[in-house]
Amino acid sequence: MLPVNRKVLTLDEFTIQQLRDVPNATGELSSLLRDIGLAAKRVNVEVNKAGLVDILGDAGSVNIQGEDVKKLDIFANDQFTGVLQHGISCAGIASEELDEYIAFDDPISRNSKYVCLFDPLDGSGNIDVNISIGTIFGVYRRVTEKGQLANQDDFLQPGTQQVAAGYIIYGSSTMMVYATRRGVNGFTLDQSIGEFTLSHPDIKCPDFGNIYSVNHGNFYRYGQGVKEYITACQKKDKSNGGPYTQRYIGSMVADVHRNLIKGGIFMYPGTTDKPKGKLRLLYECNPFAFILAVAGGRATDGHQRILDIKPTELHQRTPMFIGSKGMMDELETYL
Ligand code: AHM
Ligand code: MG
């Protein structure tokens, strides 16, 4: 028999192994994560072909098989919605691409335990220029009775109620990182076998780093405290933990992923013209706030924890400050 390298666990093996330690676990969450992994692999294939769109047919045109060539974000939305609808764990979804949530109306979905909120392709404006983009997702246990259709109450839960949250980054390699209360783990897609394999076990965010990430173009539209903090970052030298370096890709998944691994702070503050900033609470900020919290970091809107905000609308926005614990503490002295 060939020796099997047991050091390399696939996503499925890992989630199933985790189940062994949870009494009464039904495996529904593992199954949901597997569904998400499958959609991610399909999206990955298309993202990798993005540069060929002009050759193979632009979005909005018709491809060789006579099918409509969809914009990648619509394609991604359809993939994630499709796998979750056909799986056995998800009662409904909400997505950045859809105005309303969808409650799946079939017997298995109605009896499923979870709802999932996602941004199918965040940073999609970066596709054309070959910059990393990502998918972000948060999973909640439904609050409505099994057997019923999921409703708004299932989707408008505070981030503290997340059971799992994660993201996929389509970058120089494709990775899926997800958190449950037990830890944050990262899986790199091994293209040769088409499986996500555990590459970053038990990720912890360093308490300090030297990266700050913010859109400097908005500097004069930020509040006084934010301006002062950014200026302080720029003035740091060896005597006070610096120098800091500024990194901003404009693709939150890539920016926060880097800061999670290396230590750093990411900010999307409110501006004079958009006091709530740009990012969406439910499927952009909450999943990252959950991941960072499990990894030892923090996220706030400048006043309260992102995870404690009681949502009132599916697509509501919030300012967001997220990153290494020590750097967040420092930021707060300015806000
Ligand atoms: P999107 O959901 O339209 O892709 O926008 C979200 C993205 C984030 O990934 C990123 O952090 C932010 O927008 C960048 O915005 P800006 O260009 O205003 O700095
Ligand atoms: Mg987005």
Side-chain angles (χ1 to χ4, degrees):
M1 211 166 58
L2 279 173
V4 178
N5 184 357
R6 277 292 131 203
K7 280 193 196 139
V8 183
L9 284 180
T10 67
L11 175 67
D12 288 358
E13 287 176 312
F14 179 83
T15 56
I16 288 166
Q17 218 171 68
Q18 295 267 300
L19 269 184
R20 292 186 176 176
D21 304 331
V22 184
N24 310 322
T26 59
E28 272 188 73
L29 186 62
S30 312
S31 159
L32 187 142
L33 290 165
R34 186 176 56 228
D35 294 341
I36 288 177
L38 173 61
K41 285 188 252 182
R42 290 181 176 150
V43 172
N44 176 61
V45 170
E46 295 305 308
V47 167
N48 277 305
K49 285 200 302 219
L52 295 170
V53 161
D54 285 340
I55 303 166
L56 303 176
D58 221 334
S61 68
V62 175
N63 69 13
I64 274 164
Q65 287 85 28
E67 297 157 332
D68 287 339
V69 179
K70 287 183 184 157
K71 281 183 66 193
L72 264 180
D73 30 19
I74 307 294
F75 174 83
N77 184 61
D78 291 352
Q79 291 306 320
F80 284 97
T81 307
V83 290
L84 292 168
Q85 181 156 23
H86 294 119
I88 55 160
S89 322
C90 189
I93 57 106
S95 159
E96 174 165 339
E97 291 296 331
L98 304 169
D99 290 341
E100 302 291 337
Y101 65 84
I102 301 178
F104 298 141
D105 191 6
D106 61 85
I108 291 178
S109 302
R110 260 188 270 125
N111 282 294
S112 295
K113 213 181 191 173
Y114 299 111
V115 295
C116 185
L117 293 86
F118 53 82
D119 181 351
L121 214 52
D122 184 64
S124 52
N126 285 322
I127 297 170
D128 292 347
V129 284
N130 238 325
I131 288 172
S132 300
I133 47 179
T135 299
I136 312 167
F137 63 91
V139 181
Y140 295 77
R141 194 166 284 123
R142 64 188 298 181
V143 291
T144 48
E145 292 281 312
K146 276 187 177 182
Q148 294 178 0
L149 277 181
N151 72 26
Q152 175 152 300
D153 297 342
D154 298 315
F155 295 97
L156 296 186
Q157 300 189 54
T160 44
Q161 297 303 107
Q162 285 170 107
V163 173
Y167 59 88
I168 295 110
I169 176 166
Y170 311 97
S172 46
S173 55
T174 293
M175 271 188 83
M176 174 161 162
V177 174
Y178 84 86
T180 63
R181 268 161 229 282
R182 297 150 62 94
V184 185
N185 290 281
F187 302 80
T188 302
L189 182 59
D190 178 346
Q191 309 268 6
S192 64
I193 56 168
E195 293 280 2
F196 283 103
T197 50
L198 183 61
S199 53
H200 295 60
D202 200 18
I203 297 172
K204 298 277 184 244
C205 181
D207 279 349
F208 284 94
N210 67 349
I211 297 170
Y212 75 101
S213 311
V214 69
N215 186 338
H216 267 284
N218 291 332
F219 185 85
Y220 289 102
R221 286 184 285 271
Y222 294 143
Q224 194 54 29
V226 174
K227 283 186 201 158
E228 281 171 17
Y229 175 70
I230 293 173
T231 308
C233 289
Q234 293 170 333
K235 285 186 175 161
K236 280 208 183 267
D237 57 28
K238 273 204 179 111
S239 68
N240 54 6
Y244 276 6
T245 194
Q246 199 271 351
R247 291 282 180 268
Y248 189 73
I249 296 174
S251 198
M252 179 170 53
V253 177
D255 277 315
V256 181
H257 174 70
R258 179 201 52 234
N259 293 2
L260 166 67
I261 306 285
K262 292 191 166 186
I265 188 164
F266 171 92
M267 301 175 269
Y268 206 109
T271 52
T272 41
D273 46 338
K274 291 181 186 150
K276 292 201 169 274
K278 174 181 186 187
L279 302 175
R280 315 288 187 142
L281 172 65
L282 289 179
Y283 40 77
E284 293 181 330
C285 300
N286 267 340
F288 276 117
F290 182 85
I291 296 164
L292 265 286
V294 176
R298 289 206 295 119
T300 77
D301 68 356
H303 305 284
Q304 61 172 331
R305 287 206 318 159
I306 291 283
L307 293 173
D308 290 332
I309 301 174
K310 285 219 174 354
T312 51
E313 294 166 45
L314 216 44
H315 298 289
Q316 81 189 63
R317 297 175 198 267
T318 176
M320 165 134 117
F321 304 87
I322 184 166
S324 293
K325 191 179 162 302
M327 298 173 85
M328 289 293 296
D329 292 344
E330 198 175 48
L331 163 76
E332 273 163 11
T333 65
Y334 290 85
L335 295 186

